[in-house]
Amino acid sequence: MLSRFETLQHSLKYKLLLLTVLPLLLTALGFAVMAGYWTTSYTDRQLYMKVSADLSVAQGTLNILQREQLDSLIQLANGYEFRTNLLKAYRQGVQNQLQEVRQSRKLDFLRFITAAQLEASEEATLHRQRDTLKKGESITGLSVLPADELESIQSGLSQQAKILLIDTPYAELTDRSIEDRAMLLRTLYPVFNDFNQLIGILDAGVIFNRNTNVVDMIRDLVYGQGSLPEGGIGTVTLFLDDVRISTNVPQSTPEAILGKTLSVNDRAIGTRVSQAVKDHVLRQGNKWLNRAFVVNDWYISAYQPLLDIDNQKIGMIYTGFNEAPFNRIYFKTLIESSVMIGFIMLFSGALVFQRGRLLLQPLTQLHDAVQAVRRGNMEQRIGSLETSDELADLAIEFDKMLDLLEERDYQIRKANDELEATVEQRTRSLKRRTEALKQHIKLLKNTRRQLLDKEKLAVLGELTAGIAHEINNPAAVILGSIDLLTDELGAAAEPAQAEIDMIIQQVYRIRSLINNLLQYSRPGTYVDSHAVQNINTVCDDTLLLVRHALDKQHVSVDLDYQATTLVEFNTQQIQQVLVNLILNAAHATQGPGKILVSTQDWTEENETKGVCISVTDFGHGISNHHLRQVFDPFFTTKESGTGLGLSVSHGIIQRHSGKFNVQSKEGQGSCFTICLPEHYTPTNSQDDSVSELLDGLAQAERTNRRAIRGA
């Protein structure tokens, strides 16, 4: 009996069965333990990560709604018809426009409050924000208004906001039965005239009480079809304090409303949040990310405080989905996995016991040795095997073959190293000479390009001098004739005085443009005037000069002024640059469209250096090949262009010690940015660049000589 047991112990079937079944048993035990752990930690963590992401989307949607409401008021305030009606005091026209915008934007109210009404208003919100509005700062965000203030805004709003409170399990006890306050998304936008005087403010708002549009929009966005398992219901809620004022949480159990469209009466409006959530979120100001009892069922929930325009907590925003479908999936998966593991264990044990014929370890050693040799490891050996069959003889012969192969590989590597050393010694001097030659060619190309530019500038200088002489003489005659005409007409010239002044101004502008062109061709002989100014004002003045050309092309201009630093520069020259950039952007738009003019402070390493002005178009863009040539004199891609606009502008910015950058992508548009330093320090970089080029040539020559001597 003992002899048979020893024989079984040394058999391949026994070893294979033991080595296979034992890991399966351990795996099954480990799976049972890990399944529970994964479900309670990893799976739950994934659910909480999802609901947290859903909450972020919901909060982001509210922020987008705020921005859209502000943009609507900005568009209305800057509209030509609205401003015309305000200036003409046409109240009916203003009211008609307000009514039209209110209906199109689905606003609960939209009104215009004059500056005098703002001063006399007793509304708490307007009183608190009065100074901010006078400074020209718009206000948008959430706000809570009592019933009397709602009625003062518009009759009937207080009734629209009224909500009856419903007793809710786990909620904090309260004596209140009605919520008559309203949470609303509100925007206040100041309107100024052309003299920067406050005309009044636009006041718009959307009441969230009993309003299901916002929560349904967010729900459809984050809990679309297929985002939850069967039977799962995604919900979104807005709370005023602890009261649900807008929600798609059902009054009854989730199973009772599956596949139905929720009416207002089917929703849990007027119910209240549990006391645990209220303490954690509203009182402590923390984010809730856990399961919670919502009205009538347990939900995977995320709550976050909502802040009003005064940065005070006024309520909460909630996203979540019911927990029951995930519990069903968990138990179903656990049962199916257990059955599958048991079946695999039984099948594997029987298969190994009946079909196992070879031991795995010798084969594994042979396989590892072959793979190591294939990867280039010639030191790998099989070694002795714990067996006395044919595999042991094969391992010995294979190791002998590897010894012979390693010796031959060593001889080949040694010969190869000697050959590489000889080749490298012969080619080292050739590499040094090649590098020196490349440097010479590069510097010669740069020199040729600089000489061509200087030759172009010389021709431009001669041409400009002649043109300036021919234009300045007629300009002087025009100015003299206008002065004589004004003296002769005397008081009779007053009706046309504006046109006379415009003629004089444009003649001086012609002279200024000629002087700027002379300055580009002969920068060392020109002295310009400069003053400390606000770049935003200069941009506005420039837009007046090109307004007619932009309107002719049906091109609108969006403004984004953020620069606050005053800088010192030559007004006419900077206006010339801006006119050129704006007209180029309009031409690149190729038809109706818009361009963006923006300003911002120029900062480097937390230090303000000046201001930057950007002109962005959304046209066809510039190819990478042409992008390197846009500042070259006489380079243009337009049929009627001269190729001097950007070149002259680049010279002006250089003389202001500024920076001129361009970014462009074909089919997406271009952005030209100029940066002006805070203090005006005119420079001329042409002589410096030539000196640097000559120094580079001399340095390359010295390097070449050293390379030849070293070879």
Side-chain angles (χ1 to χ4, degrees), residues 496-538:
Q497 188 61 44
E499 288 75 10
I500 293 172
D501 293 340
M502 180 61 73
I503 292 172
I504 295 173
Q505 181 182 359
Q506 295 305 315
V507 171
Y508 278 112
R509 177 165 175 76
I510 291 172
R511 285 187 168 183
S512 176
L513 292 176
I514 292 299
N515 288 337
N516 288 339
L517 197 55
L518 286 172
Q519 178 188 7
Y520 174 76
S521 60
R522 295 179 296 179
T525 61
Y526 186 84
V527 179
D528 52 4
S529 59
H530 48 87
V532 176
Q533 301 179 69
N534 188 327
I535 193 63
N536 298 332
T537 304
V538 174

Side-chain angles (χ1 to χ4, degrees), residues 52-236:
S52 178
D54 297 341
L55 181 64
S56 299
V57 173
Q59 183 65 57
T61 304
L62 285 182
N63 296 336
I64 292 173
L65 292 176
Q66 294 178 18
R67 183 60 191 174
E68 289 179 349
Q69 192 175 89
L70 176 60
D71 290 342
S72 299
L73 297 192
I74 293 175
Q75 183 178 0
L76 173 61
N78 294 328
Y80 174 79
E81 183 180 354
F82 181 78
R83 297 186 71 85
T84 302
N85 289 335
L86 285 181
L87 294 176
K88 292 182 178 180
Y90 182 33
R91 298 183 60 185
Q92 186 59 41
V94 172
Q95 291 300 323
N96 291 340
Q97 281 191 277
L98 294 178
Q99 180 69 10
E100 180 182 350
V101 173
R102 187 185 70 81
Q103 292 177 353
S104 64
R105 298 298 182 179
K106 297 181 181 180
L107 302 174
D108 289 315
F109 65 88
L110 174 59
R111 58 177 179 165
F112 181 75
I113 304 172
T114 64
Q117 292 173 338
L118 178 63
E119 286 292 337
S121 175
E122 296 297 328
E123 295 182 21
T125 303
L126 296 181
H127 184 75
R128 289 195 306 271
Q129 305 296 338
R130 184 181 300 160
D131 293 336
T132 302
L133 293 169
K134 287 181 179 180
K135 295 177 182 178
E137 298 177 9
S138 59
I139 299 170
T140 182
L142 300 177
S143 182
V144 176
L145 298 182
D148 56 348
E149 191 168 346
L150 288 172
E151 283 299 313
S152 67
I153 294 175
Q154 182 176 307
S155 177
L157 290 182
S158 61
Q159 188 64 30
Q160 176 182 342
K162 186 176 297 184
I163 295 176
L164 296 177
L165 300 186
I166 301 174
D167 291 336
T168 311
Y170 300 99
E172 187 179 60
L173 297 178
T174 181
D175 296 328
R176 294 191 305 151
S177 61
I178 294 177
E179 178 59 73
D180 57 358
R181 298 175 300 162
M183 178 191 291
L184 62 154
L185 179 60
R186 189 176 189 183
T187 301
L188 301 171
Y189 183 75
V191 181
F192 291 83
N193 60 17
D194 295 335
F195 302 98
N196 204 29
Q197 297 174 338
L198 181 66
I199 304 175
I201 63 170
L202 287 170
D203 183 9
V206 175
I207 296 178
F208 287 147
N209 294 36
R210 305 177 65 83
N211 183 341
T212 62
N213 294 331
V214 174
V215 292
D216 286 352
M217 177 183 67
I218 299 175
R219 178 201 60 193
D220 295 340
L221 181 63
V222 298
Y223 300 118
Q225 186 176 5
S227 62
L228 295 174
E230 183 179 358
I233 296 178
T235 55
V236 180

